[in-house]
Amino acid sequence: MHHEHDKKFSVITWGCQMNEHDSEIMRALLENNGYEWTDNLREADLIVLNTCSVRKHAEQKVLGFLGNLKHQKKKRPDILIAVGGCMTQNPEIVRTFQKESPHINILFGTRNFHQLPDLIRKAEQTNSQVVELGSGDEELPGLLPAHHTSPVKAYVTIMYGCDNFCAYCIVPYTRGREKSRPLDEIWEEVENLVKEGYFEVMLLGQNVNSYGKDLPGDTNFAALLRRLDQIPGLARIRYMTSHPRDFSDELIETIANSQKVCEHFHLPLQAGSNNVLKKMNRGYTREQYLRLTEKIREAIPVASITTDLIVGFPGETAADFQQTLELVERVQFDAAYTFMFSPRPGTRAAKMKEQIPPAEKKARLNQLCKTQNQISLARNQKLEGQTWEVLVEGKSKTNPKRWSGRTRTNKIVVFEGEEDLAGKIVEVKIDCAQTWTLFGSLIPN
Ligand code: SAM
Ligand code: SF4
Ligand code: F3S
């Protein structure tokens, strides 16, 4: 449906894969409603911002972007600006937007993104801001179209919200209560994706291993994986994120016995000291976490394990931080995403005494990164000389003979190949390892 007079739009996304996928859905819905995508904001008639609140820095980037849009709107008063995502679930931010940002036409919440076409129609008929923030308790929208960014892998939301309330985290306040999509609906969506030619799906939820707790019957995440594992034509199943507390033996066994579920475990540790873990409300001890990673490696020796870590949580002593370093050495993660604690208004940790000074947080972050980078490199170097299955995602922008893809363990592999390999599954021998990337040569078949 491309007409010459189609209005053009763009969606700018901050934050996690959840947000990226919500944006993919909004893009498809707008395209189905006669809008045409553009990468060039200067020609867009509609600009949608899908925002993130996870750290202060994320919010600042959005606010800076909104400031620039204010000037654009002065030059082109007819453009529509819509702002949704996690920032708009904060009543204080919404009040400020309502008072001080009349250039925003539409404010919508994290559970209202699929209503965007209706909200645009409303906004076109009024001069005042259209606000639709929902109650957080609305019915799930069912099957939705999506414009998948990658031609190879597709995101599938399996549950919304989070009930964990980790003391530092804003997500339970922005995404509402946990709600699982029905298993049959997810299965149908994945089957459709395979028919469209996708080899890989990434199942999304803030805490996928509590999938199904709110559904009738005794379905759970392991049952969902077993069901999806049987879909012919699908090659790889990934998921993000699993919580170390709920990672059951049944789930490890299911993954070990499956054909398609990838041997990659992203298990956010956050901190290595039991004091800090307790204050964070994570629900596991360092000993339990270590045991979990051992069980995974016993069941699946090739498994890669990655994590998220926060330094400078309130009250974290030098000794607590040493415990994080020590556990990082013990577990031998393949990679880690490391963050400085950022107090989020409304969370418990923001009110805790003994906030750590920024310079100290920075020093700890540097030390942690240095430790982890050495481990990542050493673990990657062990792969030199081995041959791995790689799903090719695309070619390098600078060298058209250079391809990039991922192993099932989620390692990025770069190699050369003459023919068009996009979307293909190939074998690559690893020649040289770096901290974040493996370089290899294609094995001809
Ligand atoms: N649900 C997932 C989980 O439990 O890991 C993802 C949560 S969040 C989108 C991704 C990561 O951001 C978290 O694992 C945590 O390490 C980090 N994070 C969350 N809140 C933070 C904060 N206030 N300051 C710094 N890092 C934070
Ligand atoms: Fe945030 Fe914890 Fe929920 Fe993850 S599990 S989204 S860190 S509250
Ligand atoms: Fe950000 Fe919201 Fe995701 S706060 S990380 S976009 S759930």
Side-chain angles (χ1 to χ4, degrees):
M1 269 203 300
H2 288 272
H3 311 293
E4 224 170 286
H5 305 293
D6 273 355
K7 288 196 170 170
K8 296 206 164 79
F9 78 104
S10 205
V11 183
I12 324 291
T13 312
W14 289 267
C16 58
Q17 284 104 338
M18 282 278 180
N19 249 21
E20 280 174 34
H21 186 47
D22 290 350
S23 290
E24 292 178 340
I25 292 171
M26 289 192 280
R27 175 167 176 178
L29 290 170
L30 290 169
E31 285 170 342
N32 293 348
N33 275 271
Y35 277 83
E36 191 190 329
W37 176 269
T38 175
D39 286 318
N40 179 359
L41 286 187
R42 288 207 181 83
E43 63 171 28
D45 305 288
L46 165 68
I47 299 172
V48 184
L49 276 56
N50 198 2
T51 66
C52 172
S53 289
V54 76
R55 283 168 289 276
K56 188 174 182 192
H57 184 64
E59 292 191 342
Q60 282 168 335
K61 281 193 281 188
V62 174
L63 295 175
F65 195 90
L66 265 170
N68 289 341
L69 279 187
K70 205 169 195 162
H71 300 297
Q72 283 225 28
K73 183 118 176 178
K74 278 208 184 103
K75 283 186 238 155
R76 297 174 55 214
D78 287 343
I79 58 173
L80 281 184
I81 296 172
V83 180
C86 286
M87 279 174 79
T88 53
Q89 298 298 156
N90 177 337
E92 213 164 295
I93 293 181
V94 169
R95 271 195 296 277
T96 319
F97 283 162
Q98 286 175 311
K99 269 210 310 245
E100 293 165 21
S101 304
H103 65 301
I104 300 175
N105 301 86
I106 301 164
L107 286 163
F108 62 99
T110 51
R111 301 257 178 129
N112 307 94
F113 64 96
H114 58 285
Q115 296 164 6
L116 189 57
D118 287 333
L119 300 174
I120 291 167
R121 276 186 279 276
K122 267 192 205 157
E124 281 166 345
Q125 288 155 15
T126 166
N127 282 323
S128 48
Q129 252 175 5
V130 173
V131 182
E132 182 57 84
L133 298 175
S135 61
D137 202 34
E138 35 276 289
E139 295 260 313
L140 297 187
L143 280 176
L144 291 167
H147 184 119
H148 298 280
T149 312
S150 159
V152 179
K153 53 182 180 183
Y155 292 137
V156 175
T157 299
I158 63 164
M159 56 191 301
Y160 296 86
C162 182
D163 287 352
N164 278 317
F165 292 95
C166 302
Y168 50 83
C169 186
I170 195 73
V171 172
Y173 305 92
T174 65
R175 295 268 162 179
R177 299 288 57 76
E178 276 176 9
K179 235 174 179 181
S180 306
R181 291 178 64 197
L183 199 148
D184 283 334
E185 193 181 289
I186 296 168
W187 178 68
E188 189 183 337
E189 185 164 320
V190 175
E191 281 223 304
N192 289 340
L193 288 166
V194 172
K195 279 183 208 143
E196 285 172 45
Y198 291 96
F199 284 138
E200 179 174 314
V201 292
M202 163 86 90
L203 309 176
L204 297 179
Q206 292 300 344
N207 178 18
V208 290
N209 26 19
S210 49
Y211 173 79
K213 280 187 184 154
D214 57 320
L215 292 176
D218 55 2
T219 185
N220 62 17
F221 186 55
L224 174 66
L225 291 180
R226 284 194 292 270
R227 182 87 178 274
L228 298 180
D229 201 50
Q230 283 159 25
I231 296 182
L234 182 64
R236 293 177 170 192
I237 301 169
R238 299 187 188 278
Y239 51 90
M240 188 72 106
T241 304
S242 48
H243 195 300
R245 186 193 49 214
D246 308 321
F247 215 101
S248 66
D249 292 348
E250 183 200 7
L251 188 52
I252 297 176
E253 202 187 304
T254 297
I255 296 170
N257 292 332
S258 81
Q259 300 291 309
K260 298 172 183 172
V261 183
C262 289
E263 296 80 11
H264 170 219
F265 295 78
H266 183 67
L267 292 165
L269 168 63
Q270 312 299 3
S273 133
N274 284 338
N275 290 333
V276 176
L277 285 171
K278 188 145 189 237
K279 283 193 215 156
M280 285 178 164
N281 190 30
R282 287 295 286 178
Y284 52 84
T285 61
R286 58 185 271 120
E287 292 78 17
Q288 286 168 328
Y289 186 94
L290 189 61
R291 183 71 200 114
L292 173 61
T293 58
E294 286 166 357
K295 278 198 282 191
I296 289 169
R297 287 196 173 123
E298 279 158 26
I300 306 167
V302 300
S304 69
I305 303 181
T306 59
T307 200
D308 293 349
L309 295 160
I310 297 176
V311 299
F313 185 82
E316 184 187 70
T317 63
D320 288 326
F321 176 62
Q322 284 307 315
Q323 296 242 296
T324 298
L325 288 177
E326 201 248 1
L327 196 52
V328 162
E329 293 277 6
R330 282 263 280 274
V331 175
Q332 293 281 302
F333 292 110
D334 289 272
Y337 297 93
T338 51
F339 308 103
M340 283 186 277
F341 169 71
S342 171
R344 305 284 63 223
T347 62
R348 268 184 298 145
K351 290 180 221 99
M352 288 179 183
K353 295 195 184 74
E354 300 180 87
Q355 297 286 332
I356 309 295
E360 181 60 33
K361 285 189 208 171
K362 205 159 211 171
R364 289 181 191 177
L365 186 74
N366 286 341
Q367 207 184 340
L368 182 59
C369 289
K370 221 173 112 195
T371 302
Q372 179 54 46
N373 286 348
Q374 284 167 358
I375 297 170
S376 297
L377 181 61
R379 282 193 63 83
N380 281 349
Q381 281 169 339
K382 283 196 188 143
L383 305 178
E384 288 178 356
Q386 297 182 6
T387 297
W388 283 79
E389 177 203 287
V390 172
L391 175 54
V392 186
E393 292 181 2
K395 65 178 148 200
S396 148
K397 285 190 188 88
T398 46
N399 181 348
K401 274 196 240 159
R402 230 173 182 202
W403 298 92
S404 162
R406 279 171 199 265
T407 64
R408 290 171 58 99
T409 52
N410 210 35
K411 308 254 179 193
I412 296 171
V413 182
V414 172
F415 59 97
E416 290 194 356
E418 296 289 337
E419 44 174 331
D420 185 359
L421 296 172
K424 298 226 164 83
I425 292 177
V426 297
E427 299 277 313
V428 179
K429 181 164 164 276
I430 308 304
D431 302 319
C432 169
Q434 289 181 0
T435 310
W436 296 98
T437 313
L438 303 172
F439 295 88
S441 5
L442 181 66
I443 307 260
N445 60 351

